Amino acid sequence: MQFFDTHAHIGLTYDDPIEQLRVIQKAKNAGVTRIVSINNSLHDFDIVYNNLKSLSGIYHAVGVAPSEVTNPGKDWIAKIENSLQLPNVIAVGETGLDYYKQFGDKHSQIELFITQLELAQKHNVPVIIHNRDAGKDVFDILSEKIPDSGAILHCYSENAEYAKKCLDMNIYFSFAGNLTYRNARNLHETVLNIPLEKILIETESPFMIPAQNRTHKRCMPEFLPSTAKFLAEMLEMDLEELSIQLWKNSCKIFKLPE
């Protein structure tokens, strides 16, 4: 069996480049053979990309998260566009809206988000979306601006009704370790009410540790099979059968060979 971690913050898991390489090796030993590395800032993207660029099975997204809205970096648009030309850079993100911590102001967040959606459209890549307490605005903007290559609602946190509304768009739903929490009823209901072909899984490392791995201080890509096992039990599916479908879904949205 092989698994595809569609969202892992390798640079936040460890600062040390040697430790980052160990994280990747442990993941591969656990069957997690493809990982999309995510960074919140363009500065962090440069550091992590240069450290991991020679590794097989490691892909990258480039973008500016809402947390960086007040300081996206000099010439940040050109930086994203240039980075999208690099090998194994396959998506824009993470970007989106976060009204929980009120980074900057809503107008600035929305402007940053829309610009990156337009960049994803221009460069024919999907976009990875962060949504926290901003579901209505995220939906309304995607209804007008979703790139042709599609979007991933990462670490999905809305309910089943919201997901059903999104099914008319080319949107995938990525579930992290919080899917395994007993009180995550909105997520449990969601996975039972959307097509399997639209489901992805991620670790959101170093956050969202699966319940089975809660003795650890931080989440690691090697824990992804725990979320997969929980999902298989929920869907009453054989784990290997589910892993094959999740792999296909991941490869499809990121335009990678299976």
Side-chain angles (χ1 to χ4, degrees), residues 3-11 20-29 32-39 45 48-61 86-91 221 247 254 256:
F3 299 96
F4 194 137
D5 186 350
T6 62
H7 197 107
H9 295 269
I10 305 299
Q20 291 174 8
L21 298 179
R22 287 175 180 162
V23 166
I24 301 300
Q25 187 56 55
K26 286 182 178 179
K28 290 186 176 182
N29 293 343
V32 183
T33 56
R34 285 182 176 175
I35 299 171
V36 179
S37 172
I38 307 292
N39 297 281
F45 169 83
V48 177
Y49 179 84
N50 287 326
N51 189 41
L52 304 181
K53 65 182 179 181
S54 64
L55 300 182
S56 64
I58 306 302
Y59 301 92
H60 304 264
L86 296 171
N88 294 328
V89 180
I90 58 173
W247 184 271
F254 289 121
L256 296 172

Side-chain angles (χ1 to χ4, degrees), residues 120-175:
Q121 174 67 16
K122 178 180 177 180
H123 292 274
N124 195 30
V125 294
V127 63
I128 298 170
I129 295 172
H130 172 106
N131 165 26
R132 194 169 188 192
D133 289 358
K136 183 181 185 305
D137 282 355
V138 167
F139 180 85
D140 290 346
I141 291 167
L142 287 178
S143 296
E144 298 291 330
K145 290 285 188 176
I146 186 170
D148 292 339
S149 293
I152 297 169
L153 296 179
H154 108 84
C155 195
Y156 187 78
S157 59
E158 298 285 347
N159 58 26
E161 291 305 313
Y162 187 94
K164 289 177 183 178
K165 285 171 45 180
C166 292
L167 290 176
D168 290 335
M169 294 183 274
N170 184 17
I171 288 178
Y172 286 70
F173 307 87
S174 185
F175 296 91

Side-chain angles (χ1 to χ4, degrees), residues 129-251:
I129 295 172
H130 172 106
N131 165 26
R132 194 169 188 192
D133 289 358
K136 183 181 185 305
D137 282 355
V138 167
F139 180 85
D140 290 346
I141 291 167
L142 287 178
S143 296
E144 298 291 330
K145 290 285 188 176
I146 186 170
D148 292 339
S149 293
I152 297 169
L153 296 179
H154 108 84
C155 195
Y156 187 78
S157 59
E158 298 285 347
N159 58 26
E161 291 305 313
Y162 187 94
K164 289 177 183 178
K165 285 171 45 180
C166 292
L167 290 176
D168 290 335
M169 294 183 274
N170 184 17
I171 288 178
Y172 286 70
F173 307 87
S174 185
F175 296 91
N178 56 336
L179 177 69
T180 69
Y181 303 167
R182 288 184 178 180
N183 63 353
R185 294 189 182 90
N186 61 321
L187 305 185
H188 302 161
E189 183 182 2
T190 300
V191 299
L192 295 173
N193 283 278
I194 59 175
L196 177 58
E197 293 76 16
K198 291 292 186 179
I199 293 177
L200 310 173
I201 56 173
E202 63 177 85
T203 55
E204 173 70 323
S205 303
F207 314 107
M208 300 293 175
I209 304 172
Q212 183 178 335
N213 307 104
R214 290 296 281 274
T215 57
H216 296 264
K217 293 182 179 180
R218 65 187 82 184
C219 189
M220 300 289 185
E222 66 189 271
F223 299 161
L224 189 67
S226 296
T227 301
K229 289 175 186 176
F230 184 91
L231 180 59
E233 291 171 1
M234 281 197 63
L235 297 175
E236 299 181 343
M237 287 184 67
D238 174 76
L239 178 58
E240 185 165 1
E241 180 185 359
L242 176 63
S243 71
I244 291 170
Q245 185 61 56
L246 293 173
W247 184 271
K248 288 181 177 179
N249 297 348
S250 303
C251 293

